[in-house]
Amino acid sequence: WLRHLLANDVAKLADAGRALYACMLNAQGGVIDDLIVYFFTPQRFRIVVNAGTADTDLAWMRQTLEGFEASITPRRDLAIIAVQGPQAIDAVWRAIPESRAATQALAPFQAAETGDMLIARTGYTGEDGFEIALPADRAAATWQALIDAGVKPAGLGARDTLRLEAGMCLYGQDLDANTSPLESGVAWTVDMKTPRDFIGRKALESGSATRRLAGLVLEERGMLRAHQTVVT
């Protein structure tokens, strides 16, 4: 089912905890969401979607289940805290010392389940660090422990700046249901090496992409805003 649902191929995942970045497409090749899927066993995967598109994603996933022996269990009881930056990993170990044994060997794009937490190292903000999925009723205490360990709270604006500097796409701005991954700079996530019939493949193969996302490097400090004119 996941090989049909996603443009990237989860068959690449063989080791427990390994993660894959993928786009979930509609039949026209537009991106319903970009997400991360974690492999644990051939029968169990964990998927982290964008919070703002979670309801739409879940409805689409359920719609595509027909004909497959698969089921989805939404986890509305969890929260995610992303601790990012050069000293993030050491800070997490100070705040949650019991997590160190399970996470000290994690390579980029791997995750470990330790107790009732999933701790991943995907660096989805553009910086290295850990993303901690844990029971929501423990999030506030964990947040405070991280602050006590020297972590500084940062809002979504800081996350977006990191992603911009790393050239990473942001859903709703660089990716959406009317934009294909071939147009938005993430063609590398589309795996057409195998003959699997994933949703949106025919549209991508039709050669309908007419635009291409391009990054700009500013000559001096500043921030481009939506709808500003770019003069070449």
Side-chain angles (χ1 to χ4, degrees):
W1 170 65
L2 285 172
R3 297 189 76 201
H4 175 66
L5 178 72
L6 303 176
N8 213 341
D9 191 358
V10 298
K12 299 174 182 177
L13 304 176
D15 300 323
R18 194 67 183 171
L20 184 75
Y21 174 66
C23 289
M24 181 168 62
L25 309 182
N26 55 31
Q28 294 73 43
V31 181
I32 294 173
D33 197 8
D34 61 330
L35 52 83
I36 297 176
V37 56
Y38 298 92
F39 167 85
F40 288 98
T41 73
Q43 291 76 38
R44 187 169 70 90
F45 293 76
R46 293 183 69 157
I47 302 174
V48 177
V49 302
N50 281 293
T53 58
D55 291 338
T56 301
D57 291 353
L58 185 58
W60 176 256
M61 289 178 181
R62 284 176 168 159
Q63 182 180 331
T64 64
L65 277 173
E66 186 175 354
F68 294 94
E69 294 184 9
S71 62
I72 304 169
T73 304
R75 295 295 304 272
R76 304 291 191 181
D77 57 321
L78 300 178
I80 295 182
I81 301 174
V83 190
Q84 310 285 282
Q87 301 176 36
I89 291 175
D90 285 338
V92 169
W93 288 340
R94 289 196 299 272
I96 316 172
E98 66 273 20
S99 70
R100 181 164 187 159
T103 60
Q104 61 184 353
L106 286 183
F109 259 71
Q110 286 187 331
E113 292 177 313
T114 172
D116 55 4
M117 294 185 296
L118 172 74
I119 301 182
R121 190 182 176 188
T122 66
Y124 81 107
T125 62
E127 277 279 2
D128 193 15
F130 283 153
E131 301 82 51
I132 307 166
L134 74 169
D137 58 6
R138 287 176 44 208
T142 302
W143 181 274
Q144 187 59 54
L146 288 164
I147 292 175
D148 294 342
V151 176
K152 295 182 179 180
L156 291 179
R159 178 208 65 177
D160 292 348
T161 301
L162 290 173
R163 291 174 68 96
L164 181 65
E165 291 173 347
M168 299 173 70
C169 290
L170 178 64
Y171 191 83
Q173 178 172 305
D174 308 309
L175 299 164
D176 58 45
N178 297 311
T179 306
S180 83
L182 305 185
E183 296 172 314
S184 51
V186 289
W188 59 273
T189 69
V190 179
D191 191 324
M192 293 188 179
K193 296 178 181 179
T194 59
R196 63 193 176 93
D197 183 24
F198 64 83
I199 298 170
R201 178 169 186 153
K202 291 180 180 178
L204 298 184
E205 289 178 330
S206 71
S208 59
T210 58
R211 302 171 296 169
R212 187 179 69 177
L213 182 69
L216 302 176
V217 178
L218 301 185
E219 294 180 346
E220 56 187 32
R221 292 177 62 87
M223 177 61 70
L224 293 176
R225 300 292 182 185
H227 311 301
Q228 281 187 316
T229 300
V230 177
V231 179
T232 59

